[in-house]
Amino acid sequence: MRKSHPVRRVVLATAATVSGVVLLLSLKPATDPASASAAGGAASASAAGQEAPQGGTSAGTGTFTGDVVTTEYGPVQVRLTVAGGKITKAEAVQAPKGGTSDQKTALSVPRLNQETVTAQSASIDSVSGATYTSTGYKKSLQSALDRMKKASASSGSSSGSSGSAQAKTVTGQVAQTEYGPVQVRITVANGKITKAEAVQAPKGGLSDQKTALAVPKLNQEAVAAGSASIDSVSGATYTSTGYKKSLQSALDQVKTGGGSGSSSGASASASSGSSAGSGSGSSGAAQAKTVTGQVAQTQYGPVQVRITVLNGKITKAEALQTPQGGLSSQKSAAAVPKLNQEAVAAGSATIDSVSGATYTSSGYKKSLQSALDQAGG
């Protein structure tokens, strides 16, 4: 038998060694610097308010990071982990640091995280002694929740089912209070309130402060509760009562006039705050619909007009709001019936002002025109 050459043995040994080294390298743990940097990239993407790319997010599942909220003692930012539409984890990506802030953060953040998971909303109590951190936390939390709802709504609408997954905006009726009108507008998607806002609220003097205090809380509670069964804000009873009345009327419109899978015409009338005579969808052109114009502010008070339209013609006009108090009440009583009559007769906003009630007449025509624009006339 022929002996193998020594050089050949050296070559074979070298090749075996190289193969062994390659095999060992291929079996190194996943926690290498490259994978760590990738994880850091995912975290930075999440911190920017984007959904974490892990596992491919579906409706109501993923990681959502809120806006950075700057407080007197430093920034606060909240990140949520959501599964199946429920918050499974809440954490503060940023919180005030340094000096006593470290102690307050260590005291408050774990409680806030826990309350968030329990409440499943931003309606959580502030931690005593950490008011600024608590306020910043709740603001950032709300923005994270808004992102979560937006992502859920968008994935729901793109799932291919009917228009029931589409968001629509509905404006409630004006609720008159002792200190001024209140009117609420809500955005609804998949049967849930995703946004609530006050289109009108009491203004002037102390009312400005009470409105600024009450309305954000009422908006937040409306979204969290998904109904008008919300608590009144202490110190703003009248505003709270008016808010709930207008909110309920908006919800009633969603239930009766909004219908799932409705046509674009019905959707447009809903967004204008009208209860757009929806019924049988085939003969929509022959159905009367009611449209409410925008509020026109005048020197003596707000004016708002509502019209009923049938076959492209105004069949009824009425003023929901007019200047009130002292001489204004007398002028409104004298002018409004004439303006209503002229609006029906003219079928447009090109009507004469009533002598002695110039401001009321001007506001009436502006609100009437906005109602006509909504009605497509």
Side-chain angles (χ1 to χ4, degrees), residues 149-150 152-154 157 163-169 186-195 254:
K149 289 170 183 173
K150 185 177 180 180
S152 179
S154 63
S157 62
S164 60
Q166 294 178 345
K168 63 180 173 182
T169 303
I186 58 174
T187 301
V188 180
N190 295 322
K192 293 184 179 181
I193 301 174
T194 58
K195 183 180 180 183
V254 172

Side-chain angles (χ1 to χ4, degrees), residues 136-358:
Y137 185 102
K138 289 189 278 187
K139 286 182 179 179
S140 182
L141 169 59
Q142 186 59 57
S143 68
L145 287 167
D146 291 341
R147 287 194 174 100
M148 179 188 78
K149 289 170 183 173
K150 185 177 180 180
S152 179
S154 63
S155 63
S157 62
S158 63
S159 63
S161 53
S162 64
S164 60
Q166 294 178 345
K168 63 180 173 182
T169 303
V170 184
T171 306
Q173 294 178 355
V174 177
Q176 294 291 347
T177 75
E178 188 173 328
Y179 296 99
V182 180
Q183 189 175 31
V184 178
R185 183 167 60 204
I186 58 174
T187 301
V188 180
N190 295 322
K192 293 184 179 181
I193 301 174
T194 58
K195 183 180 180 183
E197 55 187 323
V199 181
Q200 294 187 69
K203 298 288 185 184
L206 188 60
S207 293
D208 286 333
Q209 299 175 25
K210 292 188 174 183
T211 292
L213 168 72
V215 168
K217 294 183 180 179
L218 293 167
N219 291 339
Q220 187 175 337
E221 285 199 28
V223 173
S227 71
S229 299
I230 57 178
D231 293 331
S232 295
V233 176
S234 178
T237 306
Y238 289 101
T239 298
S240 299
T241 301
Y243 186 102
K244 289 188 279 187
K245 286 182 180 178
S246 184
L247 171 58
Q248 186 59 59
S249 73
L251 289 167
D252 291 341
Q253 289 177 43
V254 172
K255 292 176 183 177
T256 61
S260 61
S262 58
S263 66
S264 59
S267 176
S269 62
S271 66
S272 69
S274 65
S275 55
S278 60
S280 59
S282 57
S283 59
Q287 291 179 344
K289 65 178 177 180
T290 303
V291 184
T292 305
Q294 295 177 355
V295 177
Q297 295 292 346
T298 75
Q299 187 172 333
Y300 297 100
V303 180
Q304 188 176 34
V305 178
R306 182 168 63 197
I307 58 173
T308 301
V309 180
L310 177 63
N311 293 326
K313 292 184 179 180
I314 301 173
T315 59
K316 183 181 178 182
E318 55 187 323
L320 301 180
Q321 294 187 68
T322 57
Q324 298 296 323
L327 189 59
S328 293
S329 297
Q330 299 175 25
K331 290 187 176 183
S332 291
V336 169
K338 294 181 182 179
L339 294 167
N340 290 340
Q341 187 176 348
E342 284 197 32
V344 174
S348 70
T350 307
I351 57 178
D352 293 331
S353 296
V354 175
S355 178
T358 306

